[in-house]
Amino acid sequence: MAIQWFPGHMHLTRKAIEERIKEIDVVIELLDARLPGSSANPMLAQLTAGKPALKVLNKQDLADPVRTQEWLAHFNALPGTRALGLDASMTSPAKVLVHACFELAPNRGTMVKPMRVLICGIPNVGKSTLINTLKGKRAAVTGDEAGVTKIEQRIVLQDGFYLFDTPGVLWPRIIVAKSGYNLAASGAIGRNAFDEEEVALELLDYLRQHYAPLVEARYKISGVADQTDEQILEAVGRKRGALLPGGRINLQKAADLVIHDFRAAVMGRITLETPAEFSQWLAHGQKLDAERQVKKDAIELDRAVRFKKVPRPPRGKPSDEESSD
Ligand code: G4P
């Protein structure tokens, strides 16, 4: 079943972006480099339509470097868009961000015409960490709880260069089932909103097809590519001693181990989607979503027709049936 999550504070973020967007020159969207398609927010594209976009593939230290290059090329080929990779180990991210923003809006950045940049990103993508680095002190809240809200703040990156942080979160309605699983695996979704076993199985299913040697090396199991996701999860549980009384495998614990290992890149640097895969998933998700919408419209129309077919008799006047008695 597809994962849905409603982190709240959406209206606040939406309103803040709508109010601010007119005077913004560049929109920075922080993406998770391990899932650049799934961690993007289509609602943001709508809200900021036409504004130059800088896609920052954050946490690149955890992602597959070959695939990061593929995603960067994909985004850089889009009109009005630049993309770069980033991670928390970079000591002066301001330099690369400033440089890329000037490429997108070369006429801004003076005292008369300052560069005004808005930074957005889904929870846990590393926005607070980046902002703390940009500010040079730990002022924004960081943490592992997805959905922590903050008030809007303005950071001066250099003279005539202002960065605005959005408060709250802007969370997409998930229409791609795989995106829900990838977001949950990455830590972007609150932990009560998904089933760990289901997420670990989806993760293993992808890893066995694309990163089998990493799984084999980490858990000392062989033939991963030819096993089902359930068999691999059981093998992980057995190898790592996740056992219940009686020797049965504790699948919940095994799932936690797999998700933890992915998040910490213990297996190695992994990216859960390529641009081609993601566009295929998206097309499929959009098709299903459109079909759902057609069904929903048909039900609503049916209700409306039925409602009209049975009009209430006027008050105080007997209905036709009653008067014919
Ligand atoms: P957010 O504001 O977008 O919600 O994210 P936040 O900065 O709070 O970061 C979420 C988690 O991601 C934090 O880890 C943070 O340290 C980690 N993180 C941020 N940027 C990077 C990066 O470039 N690479 C890697 N590997 N990790 C990054 P945490 O364990 O949840 O919290 P903490 O105890 O480290 O603060």
Side-chain angles (χ1 to χ4, degrees):
M1 207 181 82
I3 296 172
Q4 275 303 344
W5 186 51
F6 305 98
H9 308 293
M10 292 263 288
H11 64 288
L12 180 69
T13 310
R14 207 190 160 105
K15 211 164 148 248
I17 294 176
E18 274 167 358
E19 277 168 12
R20 178 68 62 196
I21 197 66
K22 279 187 261 11
E23 58 202 50
I24 288 297
D25 304 303
V26 175
V27 176
I28 298 181
E29 185 175 20
L30 276 191
L31 301 171
D32 189 322
R34 297 166 297 172
L35 42 145
S38 297
S39 57
N41 196 326
M43 199 194 278
L44 184 66
Q46 275 168 25
L47 283 175
T48 65
K51 296 285 174 182
L54 175 59
K55 309 280 184 190
V56 174
L57 272 61
N58 202 30
K59 303 196 182 185
Q60 67 172 354
D61 56 315
L62 305 175
D64 180 336
V66 175
R67 289 186 166 198
T68 298
Q69 287 310 316
E70 225 181 296
W71 275 102
L72 291 177
H74 166 80
F75 286 126
N76 279 320
L78 301 176
T81 308
R82 300 281 309 142
L84 55 90
L86 207 68
D87 63 66
S89 72
M90 287 175 86
T91 45
S92 52
K95 255 192 218 160
V96 284
L97 293 178
V98 166
H99 178 76
C101 288
F102 279 128
E103 280 186 344
L104 285 162
N107 300 326
R108 308 294 312 190
T110 61
M111 292 312 274
V112 186
K113 283 178 160 187
M115 175 78 86
R116 294 149 312 178
V117 176
L118 184 72
I119 185 163
C120 313
I122 62 163
N124 209 46
V125 74
K127 192 163 68 127
S128 310
T129 306
L130 175 62
I131 285 172
N132 285 342
T133 310
L134 293 173
K135 290 171 79 168
K137 57 184 163 92
R138 290 184 67 83
V141 186
T142 62
D144 65 354
E145 264 313 308
V148 177
T149 36
K150 304 135 208 161
I151 53 163
E152 187 190 57
Q153 51 181 329
R154 192 185 77 159
I155 300 147
V156 183
L157 287 192
Q158 65 181 46
D159 285 347
F161 197 116
Y162 305 130
L163 184 72
F164 294 92
D165 181 20
T166 48
V169 290
L170 198 62
W171 186 254
R173 186 168 67 88
I174 300 169
I175 61 162
V176 176
K178 202 87 179 97
S179 289
Y181 293 118
N182 288 354
L183 286 162
S186 76
I189 293 183
R191 61 176 77 101
N192 295 327
F194 63 91
D195 179 86
E196 277 98 349
E197 218 177 296
E198 205 182 333
V199 170
L201 287 172
E202 283 290 329
L203 180 58
L204 287 173
D205 188 48
Y206 190 84
L207 297 185
R208 76 178 182 81
Q209 295 175 62
H210 302 278
Y211 292 98
L214 298 187
V215 179
E216 288 171 352
R218 168 66 182 153
Y219 302 111
K220 315 234 173 342
I221 47 183
S222 53
V224 156
D226 301 322
Q227 293 183 43
T228 64
D229 42 8
E230 282 99 347
Q231 286 170 329
I232 304 168
L233 189 61
E234 283 180 12
V236 170
R238 216 174 295 120
K239 286 281 179 178
R240 299 296 307 276
L243 299 171
L244 293 165
R248 272 188 310 123
I249 291 160
N250 186 338
L251 292 174
Q252 166 73 35
K253 198 164 172 203
D256 280 347
L257 282 166
V258 169
I259 293 173
H260 168 271
D261 286 354
F262 166 70
R263 288 184 184 170
V266 180
M267 291 179 240
R269 297 171 68 173
I270 289 169
T271 299
L272 296 177
E273 50 203 43
T274 64
E277 278 169 345
F278 184 75
S279 73
Q280 232 180 35
W281 301 342
L282 186 61
H284 183 62
Q286 282 168 338
K287 188 170 162 269
L288 292 182
D289 198 47
E291 284 167 7
R292 262 194 303 270
Q293 192 57 48
V294 168
K295 272 191 202 144
K296 213 172 133 201
D297 290 349
I299 291 169
E300 271 168 24
L301 183 68
D302 183 51
R303 268 201 206 124
V305 168
R306 272 193 285 148
F307 178 73
K308 277 184 192 152
K309 268 190 181 166
V310 195
R312 267 174 215 273
R315 269 172 188 266
K317 244 177 97 183
S319 69
D320 290 345
E321 270 176 292
E322 280 167 347
S323 57
S324 66
D325 277 347

